[in-house]
Amino acid sequence: MERIMILNGSPRASKSNSRRYGAMVSACCKGKAEYFAITRQNHRQLAEQMERFSHVVLVFPLYADGIPVTLLNFFKTLEEYPPENKPVISVLINCGFLEYQQNDIAVEMVRFFCRENHYPFGSVLKIGSGEAILDTPFRFLVSGSIRKFSRSIMAQKYRTFHVSMPLTKKLFVKASTSYWTEYGRKNGITVEQMQTMEIEG
Amino acid sequence: MKLILSDRPLQLDLNDQQEIRFIDLSTLKITNCVGCFGCWTKTPGKCVIRDDAPHVYPLIAQSDAVLYISRIRYGGYDTIMKTMLERAIPIQQAFIRIVDSETHHVQRKVAPKNAVILAYGADSKEEQNLFRQLVARNARNMNFEHFQVHFCTEDSLEAAVREEVKKWSGS
């Protein structure tokens, strides 16, 4: 029986969009998936748990153009304590930029890890505008992509998918400005304060 | 200002300490970015984690030439350097702009840079190619006007660093 381990590699695991994306994958896998967040302390445990699963879905955000340190450090532990039966590893990555292609290098890093360590590589879902899209009318686009991504894993017919807001770049800049302005406002911070050019000033 | 950011100790004889700053990240206490967006939306330009990173990212921002020295892992920077680069996001704003037809964050007061990356520990061509592509992406997000990536072994690293510093002295 197929069993899917969803691993959240976001540094802000419990508050992350990756958790929400992971929950959506889990819902599509109809009881066959279990969710875990990677923390600093649980690398060994997760590596041991991995033995029970036929598939792993890594869900994480793009950080400084690559995989976040949270995931990088987990990979290093996994290299040291690999499961005997290696699951197929799939990737769901999101970035805050409009272009889902900005995730490409991070995906290739995971692919490289898999090749070096003999893990079969599965499906990929690259999400652009992933910081905000779940709370916009475009959520349905992500839902559809996650459904297809999850089905491809269950059917073992691995593919690469992508999704982003269907906006022009200019419109995206405008929409993201409103999003971040509102984010700051909730913290009592004005646009002018957010736009400071000072660093540690 | 010129900045050498290294993930390991190096024996360097830097005559002009004012002009060239050397930081050995392996001696600093720098924890992971927690993705709280505080540096964008609560205390803009300042990280809420008050460890050693807030001493480093202003120097990254000020420098017009940087030399990054890092071990490579899975085609990217290894933990020490990557942790610092992730913690450097206070030098950017949350807001987005279009750069070279792509969306990227607006930079705060960040000097355009000539960047040289000395990478060690990447044995295969495949990993080296991946790392080159990563640095090309970094260039857009980290304000690199020009960049070069050089690969070397651990044994030849110090000599390679000295060679790069010598080029700075001649420039």
Side-chain angles (χ1 to χ4, degrees):
Chain A
M1 181 183 150
E2 303 302 316
R3 297 198 65 189
I4 298 161
M5 179 186 214
I6 298 172
L7 277 184
N8 183 349
S10 169
R12 58 200 293 243
S14 62
K15 294 177 183 170
S16 63
N17 285 308
S18 295
R19 183 188 59 76
R20 299 172 74 189
Y21 291 127
M24 291 166 80
V25 174
S26 189
C28 292
C29 293
K30 301 185 175 96
K32 292 179 178 172
E34 277 182 62
Y35 170 89
F36 303 85
I38 302 171
T39 68
R40 278 184 220 170
Q41 291 84 23
N42 68 356
H43 294 185
R44 284 284 301 274
Q45 283 165 269
L46 293 178
E48 282 166 21
Q49 293 262 14
M50 200 173 269
E51 199 72 62
R52 300 192 288 117
F53 296 89
S54 53
H55 293 77
V56 169
V57 179
L58 298 173
V59 189
F60 60 94
L62 184 72
Y63 258 49
D65 303 306
I67 60 174
V69 167
T70 306
L71 184 58
L72 169 64
N73 289 344
F74 175 65
F75 277 172
K76 286 158 81 170
T77 305
L78 202 52
E79 208 163 69
E80 219 176 322
Y81 303 97
E84 209 167 294
N85 301 307
K86 295 193 170 165
V88 180
I89 294 187
S90 293
V91 171
L92 190 163
I93 179 169
N94 81 91
C95 71
F97 304 117
L98 181 63
E99 303 83 13
Y100 63 84
Q101 296 94 331
Q102 293 205 38
N103 295 308
D104 287 352
I105 302 297
V107 173
E108 289 312 306
M109 286 177 178
V110 178
R111 205 189 295 270
F112 181 84
F113 168 84
C114 290
R115 204 157 33 231
E116 290 286 298
N117 292 281
H118 314 292
Y119 290 83
F121 192 78
S123 288
V124 176
L125 173 56
K126 294 179 273 192
I127 302 176
S129 58
E131 170 60 26
I133 195 169
L134 283 179
D135 299 312
T136 71
F138 302 121
R139 180 189 168 97
F140 77 97
L141 294 174
V142 184
S143 304
S145 297
I146 288 180
R147 229 174 0 252
K148 288 180 199 160
F149 169 73
S150 305
R151 274 190 206 138
S152 76
I153 293 169
M154 305 275 278
Q156 299 176 47
K157 291 181 177 169
Y158 304 114
R159 288 177 56 195
T160 295
F161 305 89
H162 58 81
V163 64
S164 188
M165 289 188 198
L167 299 177
T168 63
K169 292 180 200 301
K170 276 189 180 171
L171 209 52
F172 177 75
V173 169
K174 209 173 160 189
S176 67
T177 300
S178 302
Y179 173 84
W180 286 111
T181 301
E182 179 59 16
Y183 207 119
R185 196 191 60 75
K186 284 180 187 163
N187 293 326
I189 300 295
T190 65
V191 175
E192 291 72 25
Q193 287 172 311
M194 287 175 73
Q195 285 175 330
T196 180
M197 298 304 273
E198 297 306 316
I199 297 161
E200 287 291 311
Chain B
M1 197 184 89
K2 295 175 170 58
L3 176 66
I4 303 171
L5 212 54
S6 174
D7 67 353
R8 55 186 286 161
L10 294 169
Q11 296 299 319
L12 297 175
D13 182 20
L14 299 170
N15 296 325
D16 186 356
Q17 286 288 348
Q18 291 301 310
E19 175 62 10
I20 301 177
R21 289 289 300 270
F22 170 66
I23 295 175
D24 173 6
L25 294 170
S26 69
T27 63
L28 303 183
K29 185 181 179 331
I30 298 174
T31 64
N32 293 7
C33 173
V34 294
C36 67
F37 298 137
C39 61
W40 288 346
T41 65
K42 284 183 184 164
T43 55
K46 288 184 182 177
C47 181
V48 298
I49 305 170
R50 305 315 289 173
D51 56 8
D52 288 329
H55 302 299
V56 181
Y57 57 72
L59 301 177
I60 294 176
Q62 288 162 32
S63 300
D64 54 16
V66 293
L67 173 57
Y68 292 167
I69 298 139
S70 178
R71 182 182 292 282
I72 302 309
R73 203 76 186 248
Y74 317 126
Y77 303 93
D78 204 349
T79 302
I80 294 175
M81 182 63 73
K82 185 66 181 357
T83 302
M84 182 59 236
L85 295 178
E86 290 185 4
R87 288 289 304 284
I89 64 163
I91 73 174
Q92 301 179 337
Q93 298 177 13
F95 298 112
I96 301 281
R97 60 180 177 159
I98 299 172
V99 181
D100 296 336
S101 305
E102 281 183 349
T103 54
H104 292 279
H105 288 287
V106 175
Q107 306 275 323
R108 300 192 198 275
K109 204 188 287 174
V110 177
K113 300 174 197 320
N114 281 316
V116 177
I117 320 294
L118 278 179
Y120 63 95
D123 300 328
S124 71
K125 286 284 170 215
E126 185 192 1
E127 190 169 23
Q128 292 183 2
N129 283 338
L130 188 49
F131 186 69
R132 280 183 207 282
Q133 291 175 59
L134 171 68
V135 177
R137 300 264 4 130
N138 291 161
R140 296 179 180 209
N141 286 313
M142 299 179 184
N143 229 10
F144 297 168
E145 266 187 342
H146 306 283
F147 66 91
Q148 297 173 51
V149 181
H150 301 303
F151 296 96
C152 56
T153 61
E154 279 188 74
D155 292 342
S156 64
L157 187 60
E158 289 210 348
V161 174
R162 285 195 200 100
E163 196 57 37
E164 290 303 323
V165 173
K166 207 188 290 177
K167 287 181 197 166
W168 277 352
S169 309
S171 65

